[in-house]
């Protein structure tokens, strides 16, 4: 039976290792495809590309490839129309862009901004610009954010189709930068925010990089680990602090709305609104092109749920 009969609401995949990074594909012809990154505390790690077979209702591993160190984040190219090359980016020691084929995945380019040194500052996160998929931004423990530009050329034998260069690198924070995210405000191409160990949220504009705006500072200067823009209203963003039990939402009306989730019950009776996994959940993500599907990762498992 196909998924559209709603015969089953939960689909599970078990990886051979602890799953950390995870991302839904947004291509219209790959609706139930996800990428998974391993978390193994050694140099040799893996990335798997899995897909749900809509006839058998089972997940199938389409491809596995090696990755140095665990991926701190991975993202499919934000290509909702399927007009760009089928690319996947990963961050870790460097930013890597991979080309996904039917039978194999190969490295297209390794983006390294430390050409004159054997030392590389690990990348904590990155974001792929939805308006201009030739732009990516990375955040690093060396206090910087780097904006990368991709170029595509003609395929000549095995010559890589995609290459990249540094468009700009800037000192974004006083300490490590933990996350970066492009905003949909102002046309959606040029504005981005970052958070870091100094406890601040900072806003940047690629058209005016001579200054930035601190839009929030944690009162206790707790490190801010993640941020996420509201996809419907670019005036709102959410961030969370290290060891915090709350998510803070900010808007341009200078209000901070705080939800304390510590006292929430473990589960409620209606499974559409609450779901208890078999392990500690370390990643959760909505399918951006299918708003009634959500994916979660715990232990070595991926589950997608219809909500």
């Amino acid at each position: 039976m196909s998924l559209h009969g709603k015969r089953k609401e939960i689909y599970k995949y078990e990886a051979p290792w602890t799953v950390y990074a995870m991302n839904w594909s947004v291509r219209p012809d790959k609706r139930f495809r996800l990428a998974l990154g391993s978390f193994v505390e050694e140099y040799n790690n893996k990335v798997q590309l899995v897909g749900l077979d809509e006839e058998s209702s089972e997940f199938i591993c389409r491809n596995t490839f090696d990755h140095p160190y665990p991926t701190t984040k991975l993202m499919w190219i934000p290509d909702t129309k399927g007009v760009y090359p089928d690319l996947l980016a990963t961050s870790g020691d460097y930013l890597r862009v991979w080309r996904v084929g039917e039978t194999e995945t190969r490295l297209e380019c390794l983006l390294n901004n430390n050409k004159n040194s054997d030392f590389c500052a690990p990348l904590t996160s990155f974001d792929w610009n939805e308006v201009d998929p030739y732009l990516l931004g990375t955040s690093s423990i060396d206090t910087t954010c780097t904006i990368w530009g991709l170029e595509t050329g003609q395929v000549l034998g095995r010559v890589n189709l995609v290459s990249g260069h540094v468009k700009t690198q800037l000192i974004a924070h006083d300490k490590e930068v933990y996350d970066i995210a492009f905003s949909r405000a102002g046309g959606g191409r040029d504005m981005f925010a970052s958070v870091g160990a100094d406890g601040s949220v900072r806003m940047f504009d690629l058209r005016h990089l001579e200054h930035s705006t601190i839009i929030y500072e944690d009162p206790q200067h707790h490190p801010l680990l993640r941020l996420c823009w509201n996809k419907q209203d670019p005036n709102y963003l959410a961030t969370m602090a290290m060891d915090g039990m709350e998510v803070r939402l900010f808007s341009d009306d200078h209000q901070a709305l705080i939800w304390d989730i510590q006292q929430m019950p473990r589960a409620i009776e209606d499974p559409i609104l609450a779901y208890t996994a078999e392990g500690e959940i370390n990643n959760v993500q909505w399918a951006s092109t299918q708003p009634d599907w959500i994916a979660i990762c715990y232990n070595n498992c991926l589950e997608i749920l219809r909500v």
Side-chain angles (χ1 to χ4, degrees), residues 7 34 37 54 66 98 111 152 160 177 191 195 237 262 283 292:
R7 178 171 61 92
L34 297 98
E54 297 192 39
D66 295 329
W98 309 80
L111 302 177
T152 56
N160 286 353
V177 190
M191 300 176 72
V195 293
L237 66 83
Q262 189 171 10
N283 206 332
D292 54 345

Side-chain angles (χ1 to χ4, degrees), residues 223-244:
L224 299 178
L225 301 181
R226 289 286 176 261
L227 83 159
C228 184
W229 288 100
N230 184 312
K231 298 296 186 183
Q232 304 300 321
D233 186 344
N235 294 315
Y236 288 85
L237 66 83
T239 186
M240 66 180 193
M242 183 180 289
D243 300 324

Side-chain angles (χ1 to χ4, degrees), residues 22-227:
M22 173 264 289
N23 190 241
W24 285 91
S25 172
V26 299
R27 287 178 68 96
D29 57 336
K30 307 285 186 183
R31 296 194 317 133
F32 288 95
R33 180 177 67 168
L34 297 98
L36 306 175
S38 68
F39 184 82
V40 182
E41 293 188 54
E42 57 185 48
Y43 179 81
N44 297 313
N45 274 260
K46 301 284 186 182
V47 172
Q48 281 193 345
L49 310 182
V50 301
L52 188 68
D53 183 288
E54 297 192 39
E55 293 304 315
S56 67
S57 298
E58 299 290 335
F59 269 110
I60 298 172
C61 178
R62 307 287 187 187
N63 209 319
T64 302
F65 58 92
D66 295 329
H67 193 281
Y69 303 106
T71 57
T72 54
K73 187 174 181 178
L74 44 75
M75 281 186 74
W76 297 93
I77 184 171
D79 179 15
T80 56
K81 297 181 179 178
V83 297
Y84 292 94
D86 196 8
L87 301 178
L88 176 75
T90 61
S91 57
D93 50 350
Y94 301 107
L95 180 66
R96 292 174 172 86
V97 179
W98 309 80
R99 170 178 289 277
V100 178
E102 287 299 320
T103 58
E104 67 167 359
T105 301
R106 66 185 183 96
L107 183 64
E108 282 289 312
C109 58
L110 183 151
L111 302 177
N112 173 17
N113 203 20
N114 302 291
K115 294 285 181 11
N116 300 322
S117 171
D118 293 334
F119 169 78
C120 69
L123 302 177
T124 52
S125 187
F126 74 97
D127 196 23
W128 209 322
N129 194 295
E130 294 182 2
V131 172
D132 182 355
Y134 292 107
L135 284 181
L136 298 95
T138 57
S139 57
S140 172
I141 65 168
D142 67 3
T143 75
T144 69
C145 289
T146 304
I147 305 299
W148 299 88
L150 298 182
E151 301 94 29
T152 56
Q154 298 298 314
V155 182
L156 299 173
R158 292 290 291 180
V159 176
N160 286 353
L161 181 69
V162 178
S163 60
H165 69 280
V166 175
K167 293 185 75 75
T168 186
Q169 183 179 35
L170 51 100
I171 296 175
H173 288 261
D174 301 326
K175 296 181 180 178
E176 297 94 332
V177 190
Y178 288 141
D179 204 4
I180 181 175
F182 287 103
S183 168
R184 290 188 175 181
R189 181 188 184 276
D190 296 298
M191 300 176 72
F192 66 93
S194 62
V195 293
D198 60 8
S200 68
V201 182
R202 304 195 184 201
M203 192 79 183
F204 300 87
D205 190 325
L206 291 175
R207 298 161 295 191
H208 307 286
L209 285 175
E210 63 274 9
H211 61 83
S212 64
T213 303
I214 297 177
I215 58 177
Y216 173 75
E217 284 189 290
D218 185 87
Q220 283 77 43
H221 300 288
H222 290 151
L224 299 178
L225 301 181
R226 289 286 176 261
L227 83 159

